[in-house]
mmCIF file of all heavy atoms in Angstrom:
data_model
loop_
_atom_site.group_PDB
_atom_site.id
_atom_site.type_symbol
_atom_site.label_atom_id
_atom_site.label_comp_id
_atom_site.label_asym_id
_atom_site.label_seq_id
_atom_site.Cartn_x
_atom_site.Cartn_y
_atom_site.Cartn_z
ATOM 1 N N GLN B 93 229.356 118.204 126.221
ATOM 2 C CA GLN B 93 228.725 116.842 126.080
ATOM 3 C C GLN B 93 228.867 116.377 124.675
ATOM 4 O O GLN B 93 229.190 115.151 124.315
ATOM 5 C CB GLN B 93 227.279 116.909 126.444
ATOM 6 C CG GLN B 93 227.076 117.030 128.077
ATOM 7 C CD GLN B 93 227.307 118.465 128.615
ATOM 8 O OE1 GLN B 93 227.481 119.421 127.736
ATOM 9 N NE2 GLN B 93 227.264 118.651 129.852
ATOM 10 N N SER B 94 228.559 117.307 123.723
ATOM 11 C CA SER B 94 228.656 116.907 122.306
ATOM 12 C C SER B 94 229.988 116.634 121.840
ATOM 13 O O SER B 94 230.323 115.628 121.144
ATOM 14 C CB SER B 94 228.051 118.107 121.522
ATOM 15 O OG SER B 94 228.366 117.957 120.090
ATOM 16 N N LEU B 95 230.927 117.472 122.356
ATOM 17 C CA LEU B 95 232.415 117.327 121.984
ATOM 18 C C LEU B 95 232.836 115.928 122.338
ATOM 19 O O LEU B 95 233.606 115.204 121.581
ATOM 20 C CB LEU B 95 233.170 118.380 122.686
ATOM 21 C CG LEU B 95 234.657 118.298 122.291
ATOM 22 C CD1 LEU B 95 234.920 119.181 121.029
ATOM 23 C CD2 LEU B 95 235.458 118.930 123.437
ATOM 24 N N PHE B 96 232.646 115.466 123.556
ATOM 25 C CA PHE B 96 233.085 114.213 124.011
ATOM 26 C C PHE B 96 232.248 113.071 123.437
ATOM 27 O O PHE B 96 232.899 112.012 123.233
ATOM 28 C CB PHE B 96 233.053 114.120 125.585
ATOM 29 C CG PHE B 96 234.065 115.081 126.276
ATOM 30 C CD1 PHE B 96 233.857 115.653 127.437
ATOM 31 C CD2 PHE B 96 235.287 115.339 125.581
ATOM 32 C CE1 PHE B 96 234.747 116.470 128.031
ATOM 33 C CE2 PHE B 96 236.199 116.216 126.202
ATOM 34 C CZ PHE B 96 235.880 116.763 127.448
ATOM 35 N N ARG B 97 230.977 113.317 123.224
ATOM 36 C CA ARG B 97 230.204 112.182 122.680
ATOM 37 C C ARG B 97 230.657 111.937 121.191
ATOM 38 O O ARG B 97 230.559 110.783 120.792
ATOM 39 C CB ARG B 97 228.790 112.579 122.795
ATOM 40 C CG ARG B 97 227.835 111.401 122.626
ATOM 41 C CD ARG B 97 226.419 111.763 122.988
ATOM 42 N NE ARG B 97 225.868 112.784 122.224
ATOM 43 C CZ ARG B 97 224.833 113.431 122.495
ATOM 44 N NH1 ARG B 97 224.114 113.307 123.635
ATOM 45 N NH2 ARG B 97 224.300 114.358 121.595
ATOM 46 N N THR B 98 230.960 113.048 120.516
ATOM 47 C CA THR B 98 231.222 112.756 119.109
ATOM 48 C C THR B 98 232.697 112.668 118.774
ATOM 49 O O THR B 98 233.097 112.811 117.644
ATOM 50 C CB THR B 98 230.607 113.878 118.254
ATOM 51 O OG1 THR B 98 231.326 115.077 118.721
ATOM 52 C CG2 THR B 98 229.080 113.965 118.487
ATOM 53 N N ASN B 99 233.570 112.517 119.770
ATOM 54 C CA ASN B 99 234.966 112.467 119.581
ATOM 55 C C ASN B 99 235.292 111.296 118.674
ATOM 56 O O ASN B 99 234.692 110.229 118.747
ATOM 57 C CB ASN B 99 235.762 112.376 120.916
ATOM 58 C CG ASN B 99 235.790 110.966 121.417
ATOM 59 O OD1 ASN B 99 236.696 110.177 121.207
ATOM 60 N ND2 ASN B 99 234.709 110.571 122.149
ATOM 61 N N PHE B 100 236.235 111.536 117.753
ATOM 62 C CA PHE B 100 236.675 110.475 116.818
ATOM 63 C C PHE B 100 237.752 109.550 117.530
ATOM 64 O O PHE B 100 238.408 110.031 118.488
ATOM 65 C CB PHE B 100 237.241 111.103 115.582
ATOM 66 C CG PHE B 100 236.068 111.723 114.721
ATOM 67 C CD1 PHE B 100 235.921 113.092 114.685
ATOM 68 C CD2 PHE B 100 235.133 110.995 114.100
ATOM 69 C CE1 PHE B 100 234.943 113.654 114.098
ATOM 70 C CE2 PHE B 100 234.059 111.577 113.521
ATOM 71 C CZ PHE B 100 233.957 112.921 113.456
ATOM 72 N N PRO B 101 237.702 108.371 117.060
ATOM 73 C CA PRO B 101 238.530 107.379 117.906
ATOM 74 C C PRO B 101 239.983 107.604 117.815
ATOM 75 O O PRO B 101 240.547 108.064 116.833
ATOM 76 C CB PRO B 101 238.134 106.064 117.200
ATOM 77 C CG PRO B 101 237.720 106.428 115.782
ATOM 78 C CD PRO B 101 237.018 107.767 116.029
ATOM 79 N N ALA B 102 240.699 107.335 118.971
ATOM 80 C CA ALA B 102 242.116 107.302 119.054
ATOM 81 C C ALA B 102 242.575 106.238 118.087
ATOM 82 O O ALA B 102 241.919 105.172 117.959
ATOM 83 C CB ALA B 102 242.621 107.152 120.360
ATOM 84 N N ASP B 103 243.769 106.339 117.502
ATOM 85 C CA ASP B 103 244.290 105.320 116.679
ATOM 86 C C ASP B 103 245.783 105.145 117.093
ATOM 87 O O ASP B 103 246.530 105.979 116.856
ATOM 88 C CB ASP B 103 244.194 105.708 115.268
ATOM 89 C CG ASP B 103 244.325 104.453 114.255
ATOM 90 O OD1 ASP B 103 245.195 103.540 114.760
ATOM 91 O OD2 ASP B 103 243.873 104.407 113.184
ATOM 92 N N THR B 104 246.106 103.864 117.602
ATOM 93 C CA THR B 104 247.488 103.745 118.002
ATOM 94 C C THR B 104 248.273 103.024 116.995
ATOM 95 O O THR B 104 249.399 102.474 117.248
ATOM 96 C CB THR B 104 247.467 102.883 119.253
ATOM 97 O OG1 THR B 104 246.791 101.676 119.059
ATOM 98 C CG2 THR B 104 246.886 103.641 120.466
#
Side-chain angles (χ1 to χ4, degrees):
Chain B
Q93 288 78 7
S94 165
L95 183 85
F96 291 147
R97 198 168 61 196
T98 61
N99 78 95
F100 290 104
D103 194 333
T104 57

